[in-house]
């Protein structure tokens, strides 16, 4: 049986954020910048739909395989694949976990964070980043309404 649900998810894929702090060379008087990674947390919140594949049984608890999409608070699109547990018969809560795939912003390879290395930046408010395809994990809870089929004689 295939049905659909929608809900909230927590994902480990997050865009990294960086800031630049000015450092003045005491000999030459030139200004360079150290790149510091901002603490944005370890998880991101998002919402999205799931397609749930399960066996038709009459029980209150059923295992499920699922595929879905996620739109995060940073308007990033992610693909979700995993498994979970359905609780309920007609109206169901579904708990999900699994693998998430998508692009995240990270610091360009030619730069590093910390105070050991200083860089000349065109705009210190825009640290150079690049989008990279990454995988991570997710947890979520969705809700599925009962089927709209009518049982008429």
């Amino acid at each position: 049986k295939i049905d659909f649900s929608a809900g909230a998810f927590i994902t480990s894929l997050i865009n990294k954020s960086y800031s630049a702090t000015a450092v003045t060379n005491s000999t030459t008087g030139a200004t360079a910048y150290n790149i510091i990674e901002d603490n944005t947390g370890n998880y991101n919140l998002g919402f999205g739909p799931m397609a749930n594949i399960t066996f038709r049984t009459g029980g209150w608890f059923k295992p499920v395989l699922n595929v879905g999409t996620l739109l995060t608070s940073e308007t990033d699109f992610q693909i979700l694949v995993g498994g979970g547990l359905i609780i309920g018969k007609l109206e169901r809560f579904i708990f999900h976990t699994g693998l998430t795939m998508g692009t995240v912003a990270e610091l360009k390879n030619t730069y590093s964070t910390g105070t050991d290395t200083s860089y000349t930046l065109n705009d210190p408010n825009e640290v150079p980043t690049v989008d990279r395809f990454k995988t991570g994990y997710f947890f979520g809870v969705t809700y599925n309404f009962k089927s709209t089929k009518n049982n008429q004689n």
Side-chain angles (χ1 to χ4, degrees):
K1 177 182 176 189
I2 298 176
D3 60 9
F4 299 93
S5 60
F9 298 91
I10 295 174
T11 176
S12 66
L13 291 185
I14 59 169
N15 287 325
K16 302 227 176 168
S17 175
Y18 302 93
S19 58
T21 57
V23 177
T24 304
N25 187 324
S26 60
T27 318
T28 63
T31 301
Y33 297 92
N34 291 338
I35 298 174
I36 307 298
E37 183 176 339
D38 298 331
N39 184 5
T40 56
N42 295 325
Y43 299 101
N44 199 358
L45 178 65
F47 298 93
M50 280 290 222
N52 305 296
I53 304 163
T54 187
F55 292 107
R56 289 186 185 265
T57 63
W60 280 85
F61 300 97
K62 294 187 276 189
V64 62
L65 295 175
N66 44 52
V67 174
T69 59
L70 167 68
L71 187 63
T72 67
S73 58
E74 299 171 342
T75 65
D76 291 330
F77 178 75
Q78 296 178 16
I79 298 171
L80 309 173
V81 177
L85 181 67
I86 295 177
I87 300 175
K89 285 189 176 184
L90 296 178
E91 295 180 5
R92 300 176 287 273
F93 282 100
I94 306 168
F95 295 92
H96 307 273
T97 188
L99 178 72
T100 182
M101 298 168 277
T103 58
V104 294
E106 290 186 338
L107 191 61
K108 279 190 171 181
N109 288 342
T110 54
Y111 296 90
S112 63
T113 59
T115 58
D116 296 339
T117 310
S118 299
Y119 302 97
T120 303
L121 300 174
N122 293 336
D123 183 2
N125 295 323
E126 292 187 24
V127 175
T129 60
V130 64
D131 288 338
R132 291 196 174 99
F133 184 81
K134 294 278 193 169
T135 59
Y137 56 92
F138 75 93
F139 301 100
V141 177
T142 61
Y143 186 72
N144 174 261
F145 293 101
K146 67 180 182 178
S147 174
T148 58
K149 291 180 184 177
N150 290 331
N151 293 331
Q152 297 178 354
N153 291 338

